[in-house]
């Protein structure tokens, strides 16, 4: 399973989770089975006006992620996730490592 | 002269004031642009002559024809479209759409994206004792009054005439839209701590737009020191006061205009208008 995580810095699995879903500085795609980072990319949309969450969610779905970990997405982004049957796991602080562990303990 | 009447929040007496200001003049048009809850008619008592639906074009995507090329979503400046090729899905978010038409222009596939009509509200027109009356009323659940307000201002504003505009309350985009074309902005406030903090926010907006402005203190009991102190610092004049009185409250609740409640207030309002237009 691939997870999509919005992070505020690019620091491997020690990267901090961003508190705002669509406006994190980077997006990470994470392989939950092998506990490894698939890729990290800069968020090109973070300074756009309305609807950033929609774009971000669209990217997550397009990358084939079936899980998002991080801040609560807005209602419109949530709608996109619903279409893509993507699970949302809300966590608002800590690092990627913390978040992945918490998800697995759930 | 176009005068917009605004307030930091609802229930400050904005409409009560704006309607009587319009009625105090020999000739004026009244625009009720408080589109979520237009109630100027209660005091103005217009005779309505026509009523038309306000329609906007919005995209509709036929997922059987769409190739999910994403061109429409890429060119939408408002992120109102989300194309998900893997899922063969096209999502549209009407709350974000500004009906700019770009998406239908860029779509390369015949009939994949067509424009359909969306009814967002109604415009009522008529006459009252001093001139034309016009009111916009947004459909319930419509996300923004901006298109309806800008549509009314574009199609119905007669620049030769005196117009009193009753704006929406608060500080959102519809407020800005309703005062863009105004020569003068009147802020109605109540002399309470809440009234003061709401007023500060609207003053910011008016300042940003560089409009001439003045404040009307409603329910004035001579205890508006904080409000006046603040206004002095900003260099904004208090241009009118509506006294606090039980009689006014009573007649307000019965829909009787201010001008018919307090003797002599009509003349004062007229003078206020003259002062503003001689500026
Ligand atoms: S009409 Fe304009 S704002 Fe609306 S979806 Fe199309 S491109 Fe976006
Ligand atoms: S531009 Fe037309 S074909 Fe391409 S995704 Fe949009 S609706 Fe579909």
């Amino acid at each position: 399973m691939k997870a999509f995580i919005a992070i505020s810095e690019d620091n491997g699995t020690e990267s901090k989770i961003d508190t705002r879903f669509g406006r994190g500085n980077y997006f990470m795609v994470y392989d939950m089975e092998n506990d490894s980072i698939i890729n990290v990319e800069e968020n090109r949309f973070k300074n756009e006006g309305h609807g950033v969450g929609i774009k971000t969610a669209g990217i997550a779905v397009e990358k084939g992620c079936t899980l998002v970990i991080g801040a609560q997405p807005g209602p419109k982004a949530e709608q996109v996730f619903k279409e893509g049957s993507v699970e949302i796991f809300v966590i608002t602080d800590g690092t990627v490592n913390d978040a992945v562990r918490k998800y697995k303990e759930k | 002269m176009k005068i917009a009447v605004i307030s930091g929040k609802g229930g400050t007496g904005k409409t009560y004031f704006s309607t009587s200001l319009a009625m105090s003049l020999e000739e004026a048009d009244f625009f009720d642009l408080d589109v979520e809850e237009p109630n100027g008619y209660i005091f103005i008592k217009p005779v309505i002559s026509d009523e038309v639906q306000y329609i906007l074009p919005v995209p509709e995507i036929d997922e059987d024809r769409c190739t999910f090329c994403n061109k429409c979503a890429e060119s939408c400046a408002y992120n109102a479209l989300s194309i998900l090729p893997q899922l063969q899905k096209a999502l549209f978010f009407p709350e974000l759409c500004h009906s700019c038409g770009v998406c239908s222009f860029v779509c390369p596939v015949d009939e994949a994206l067509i424009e359909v009509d969306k009814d967002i509200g109604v415009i009522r027109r008529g006459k009252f004792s001093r001139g034309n009356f016009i009111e916009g009323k947004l459909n319930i659940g419509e996300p923004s009054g901006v298109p309806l307000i800008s549509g009314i201002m574009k199609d119905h504003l007669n620049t030769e005439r005196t117009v009193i505009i009753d704006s929406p309350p608060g500080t959102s985009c519809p407020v800005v839209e309703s005062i863009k074309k105004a020569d003068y902005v009147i802020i109605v406030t109540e002399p309470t701590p809440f009234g003061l903090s709401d007023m500060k926010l609207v003053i910011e907006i008016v300042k940003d737009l560089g409009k001439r402005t003045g404040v009307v203190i409603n329910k004035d009991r001579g205890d508006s020191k904080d409000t006046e102190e603040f206004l002095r610092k900003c260099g904004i004049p208090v241009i009118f006061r509506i006294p606090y009185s039980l009689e006014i409250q009573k007649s307000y609740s019965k829909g009787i205009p201010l001008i018919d409640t307090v003797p002599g207030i009509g003349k004062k309002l007229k003078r206020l208008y003259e002062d503003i237009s001689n500026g």
Side-chain angles (χ1 to χ4, degrees):
Chain A
M1 174 166 57
K2 281 198 264 182
F4 184 87
I5 312 175
I7 50 181
S8 49
E9 51 179 14
D10 179 11
N11 188 18
T13 53
E14 284 305 305
S15 306
K16 285 214 168 59
I17 303 282
D18 202 278
T19 49
R20 295 160 314 161
F21 170 70
R23 301 195 190 266
N25 292 326
Y26 299 91
F27 302 137
M28 178 187 282
V29 179
Y30 189 88
D31 183 333
M32 296 297 279
E33 277 80 35
N34 300 321
D35 270 317
S36 63
I37 296 170
I38 296 172
N39 83 315
V40 174
E41 67 179 52
E42 229 175 297
N43 178 357
R44 288 173 286 138
F45 313 119
K46 83 177 160 123
N47 295 321
E48 283 187 18
H50 292 303
V52 179
I54 294 174
K55 273 205 169 150
T56 311
I59 292 174
V61 172
E62 277 319 296
K63 288 188 183 297
C65 299
T66 48
L67 170 68
V68 266
I69 296 179
Q72 174 68 45
K76 300 189 197 82
E78 243 178 323
Q79 207 178 316
V80 176
F81 286 136
K82 222 166 111 203
E83 291 290 339
S85 314
V86 175
E87 181 188 356
I88 301 169
F89 181 65
V90 175
I91 183 162
T92 45
D93 59 3
T95 62
V96 170
N97 271 335
D98 299 338
V100 169
R101 198 186 58 237
K102 282 201 184 123
Y103 177 79
K104 290 187 175 169
E105 279 166 6
K106 154 183 100 130
Chain B
M1 191 84 188
K2 319 271 168 276
I3 300 180
V5 183
I6 68 175
S7 65
K9 64 168 177 62
T12 56
K14 168 178 64 69
T15 302
Y16 193 46
F17 176 82
S18 66
T19 47
S20 277
L21 177 61
M23 285 186 275
S24 75
L25 306 174
E26 267 135 42
E27 237 186 87
D29 292 350
F30 186 83
F31 278 42
D32 196 340
L33 300 185
D34 189 352
V35 293
E36 275 182 37
E37 230 176 305
N39 54 11
Y41 70 91
I42 294 172
F43 302 105
I44 291 266
K45 302 182 176 65
V47 179
I48 300 295
S49 51
D50 75 278
E51 199 174 302
V52 287
Q53 296 307 122
Y54 193 70
I55 306 285
L56 283 180
V58 294
E60 193 175 84
I61 295 177
D62 180 346
E63 287 176 343
D64 293 334
R65 291 214 163 95
C66 174
T67 58
F68 306 96
C69 69
N70 204 35
K71 285 213 169 73
C72 54
E74 263 167 34
S75 22
C76 175
Y78 306 98
N79 292 331
L81 291 163
S82 178
I83 304 295
L84 305 168
Q86 285 192 354
L87 306 171
Q88 302 272 295
K89 282 253 173 230
L91 304 183
F92 172 56
F93 299 90
E95 311 91 285
L96 296 173
C97 177
H98 283 55
S99 295
C100 69
V102 166
C103 51
S104 65
F105 182 76
V106 298
C107 176
V109 181
D110 234 15
E111 308 265 297
L113 190 158
I114 54 161
E115 283 188 336
V116 295
D117 286 348
K118 184 179 169 213
D119 172 2
I120 67 157
V122 60
I123 297 174
R124 290 192 188 95
R125 289 195 302 164
K127 295 253 185 252
F128 74 112
S129 52
R130 302 298 188 265
N132 300 309
F133 170 88
I134 185 152
E135 170 200 278
K137 190 172 189 349
L138 204 60
N139 287 348
I140 292 170
E142 250 332 293
S144 168
V146 170
L148 180 57
I149 292 173
S150 68
I152 293 177
M153 292 299 271
K154 205 171 85 219
D155 299 342
H156 300 287
L157 191 77
N158 181 342
T159 45
E160 318 256 284
R161 292 181 61 85
T162 295
V163 181
I164 307 298
I165 299 162
D166 192 34
S167 294
T171 51
S172 56
C173 305
V175 181
V176 174
E177 198 59 43
S178 72
I179 63 181
K180 266 187 194 158
K181 289 188 177 156
D183 306 300
Y184 193 93
V185 176
I186 295 177
I187 302 171
V188 181
T189 190
E190 283 178 12
T192 61
F194 289 124
L196 179 58
S197 68
D198 290 334
M199 182 186 73
K200 285 179 183 170
L201 299 175
V202 284
I203 285 178
E204 287 300 314
I205 294 192
V206 180
K207 256 200 212 150
D208 284 350
L209 291 170
K211 299 283 181 190
R212 283 173 63 213
T213 183
V215 167
V216 171
I217 297 182
N218 186 23
K219 296 191 183 160
D220 183 33
R221 323 161 106 148
D223 58 355
S224 43
K225 223 176 69 228
D226 291 349
T227 305
E228 285 172 46
E229 181 75 37
F230 176 78
L231 290 170
R232 209 168 11 250
K233 279 192 207 136
C234 305
I236 295 173
V238 175
I239 52 171
F240 204 83
R241 291 167 199 271
I242 304 171
Y244 180 83
S245 89
L246 205 58
E247 199 202 336
I248 293 180
Q249 297 314 308
K250 267 196 206 145
S251 82
Y252 171 78
S253 65
K254 284 189 209 140
I256 301 169
L258 175 65
I259 194 168
D260 295 337
T261 305
V262 182
I265 208 160
K267 276 206 185 94
K268 285 191 196 159
L269 286 167
K270 191 164 176 236
R271 207 173 314 131
L272 171 69
Y273 175 80
E274 282 158 8
D275 288 348
I276 290 174
S277 34
N278 296 331

